[in-house]
Amino acid sequence: MTEDHADITPPRDEGAPIPEAGWLGRVIDRVGIVFAVGIIIAMLILIQEVVLRYFFNRPTIWAHETTVFLSGLAFVFGGLYCTARDRHIRVVLIYDQLGPRLRRVFDVVISVICGLAAAMFTWAGWIMVSRAAFTPAGEFRLERSGSAWDPVYPGLIKVFLMVVLGVMTVQFVILAFNYARGRR
């Protein structure tokens, strides 16, 4: 049985960013290992905390906040990672029924809309960071957790979120440009 449609899209390497993601997608893909290691470190911290708490009755004051921070970093970066690998949510019921040319148009439009949304979220992130990183007098002081240990993790995660959203905006611009050029 032969197929009559002209979709000659080459098979995709599932272990790499899509070619349309360009150089930025390759960088994002390589940096992803840092956050994967962060999840493993969070797991090891939790194991250590369980041992210290339940076997030695010596819990730490830093383990919970550190594991939440490391996990939060990984989840925030995960959105950018999915963008570079084209693994974001898509309504495939419609998208998969399109021919190659119309699918490319959809890819451009989706990338532009997502880029605009990411840019707006980056701006909102800046507003959040300006409150979390600066005092009313304008001095730099990151927001702290308020716990007994009181790390600057809340301020750091907000800065990281804003930076990731900014990079995501650039990634969507690169995707839209490369989709429009028909680059594979």
Side-chain angles (χ1 to χ4, degrees), residues 123-140:
W123 175 251
W126 167 247
I127 293 169
M128 179 177 60
V129 165
S130 66
R131 293 180 185 147
F134 300 100
T135 66
E139 298 170 7
F140 180 76

Side-chain angles (χ1 to χ4, degrees), residues 62-118:
W62 57 270
H64 176 72
E65 286 177 301
T66 301
T67 57
V68 168
F69 175 70
L70 290 172
S71 299
L73 289 176
F75 281 101
V76 168
F77 187 80
L80 183 57
Y81 191 79
C82 287
T83 300
R85 287 177 166 249
D86 193 31
R87 292 292 176 219
H88 51 85
I89 297 171
R90 175 182 285 133
V91 181
V92 295
L93 180 68
I94 298 168
Y95 185 83
D96 287 351
Q97 301 304 317
L98 303 174
R101 286 189 181 136
L102 194 53
R103 189 178 292 178
R104 191 170 86 182
V105 170
F106 267 61
D107 287 336
V108 171
V109 171
I110 289 168
S111 296
V112 167
I113 291 170
C114 289
L116 289 171

Side-chain angles (χ1 to χ4, degrees), residues 124-181:
W126 167 247
I127 293 169
M128 179 177 60
V129 165
S130 66
R131 293 180 185 147
F134 300 100
T135 66
E139 298 170 7
F140 180 76
R141 186 176 340 153
L142 284 173
E143 179 181 348
R144 302 180 85 75
S145 70
S147 69
W149 185 40
D150 202 25
V152 295
Y153 291 160
L156 288 176
I157 199 83
K158 289 174 183 179
V159 170
F160 184 71
L161 176 61
M162 182 195 70
V163 169
V164 165
L165 286 167
V167 174
M168 187 180 287
T169 302
V170 174
Q171 179 65 87
F172 277 121
V173 168
I174 291 170
L175 285 168
F177 181 75
N178 286 336
Y179 283 135
R181 284 185 17 197

